Amino acid sequence: MKELKHYVEKDISGVLLNESTIKKRVRELGDQISRDYEGKNMVAICILRGCVVFFSDLIREIKIPIELDFMAVSSYNHGAQTSGNVLIKYDLQDDIKGKHVLIVEDIIDTGTTLMHLKRLLEARQPESIRICCLLDKEERRLAHVDVDYIGFEIPDEFVVGYGLDYAGKYRNYREIGILKRKIYE
């Protein structure tokens, strides 16, 4: 049986971030978050589905007690470009009023979705809101979003792997690769 890597690598033009580089940076983010939230009532919110792999690894690197919750927010509708419409598909299960919230996102592109999400959560009166993202495409930003913890700044390429997908595929690839244009154009 062939390994997943064989199937994925025919569709990517190259590896942007390898598995060991990702693991090292996630450990560093976990250490920094642990220091910053020491003694605080913290809830980490995973933005499903693309963030689930990063979130799972990150929370295991956080060395303080935390609560977990999940949201599903979408603006892509299985395509390569954002639709501009933000849809809450799954909302938090617990109240965040008075808590220190950490939104954990896989990638920040235009920032539009995250800007709307942050406004929605601010209305629920948390003590604070910070944002952690694995990947940041600053050059694509259309909406201003302050990001407190950034794993990697990346170029304007369509990336897959480590939870990131194109049309539901490639999420279980352990590295982050650049998808060939012929796949999504």
Side-chain angles (χ1 to χ4, degrees), residues 149-162:
Y149 307 97
I150 299 171
F152 303 94
E153 291 186 12
I154 63 168
D156 184 15
E157 297 286 353
F158 196 104
V159 292
V160 295
Y162 196 69

Side-chain angles (χ1 to χ4, degrees), residues 108-110 135-145 147 150 152-156:
I108 300 176
D109 194 343
T110 66
L135 305 174
D136 185 14
K137 286 187 189 180
E138 178 69 33
E139 66 187 87
R140 299 243 324 143
R141 197 79 81 246
L142 298 175
H144 176 75
V145 179
V147 183
I150 299 171
F152 303 94
E153 291 186 12
I154 63 168
D156 184 15

Side-chain angles (χ1 to χ4, degrees), residues 39-148:
K40 296 181 179 175
N41 187 9
M42 176 190 172
V43 59
I45 299 173
C46 177
I47 307 303
L48 298 171
R49 287 181 269 184
C51 190
V52 72
V53 176
F54 171 50
F55 187 78
S56 296
D57 287 348
L58 179 66
I59 63 169
R60 287 188 297 243
E61 297 296 339
I62 296 174
K63 307 302 184 211
I64 59 170
I66 60 173
E67 296 177 39
L68 308 178
D69 213 333
F70 302 86
M71 290 186 83
V73 182
S74 179
S75 66
Y76 280 87
N77 302 324
H78 300 292
Q81 297 291 324
T82 181
S83 68
N85 298 318
V86 178
L87 175 66
I88 304 293
K89 294 181 171 183
Y90 179 82
D91 208 344
L92 299 175
Q93 298 302 295
D94 296 319
D95 186 8
I96 60 170
K97 185 175 183 178
K99 296 179 182 178
H100 295 276
V101 170
L102 179 66
I103 300 170
V104 182
E105 182 65 282
D106 55 356
I107 188 167
I108 300 176
D109 194 343
T110 66
T112 305
T113 302
L114 196 52
M115 179 189 69
H116 290 293
L117 176 61
K118 188 174 180 186
R119 285 183 188 157
L120 173 79
L121 295 178
E122 285 171 340
R124 298 178 187 187
Q125 302 176 328
E127 182 70 24
S128 68
I129 296 179
R130 289 186 179 175
I131 297 170
C132 175
C133 74
L134 177 64
L135 305 174
D136 185 14
K137 286 187 189 180
E138 178 69 33
E139 66 187 87
R140 299 243 324 143
R141 197 79 81 246
L142 298 175
H144 176 75
V145 179
D146 290 320
V147 183
D148 304 278

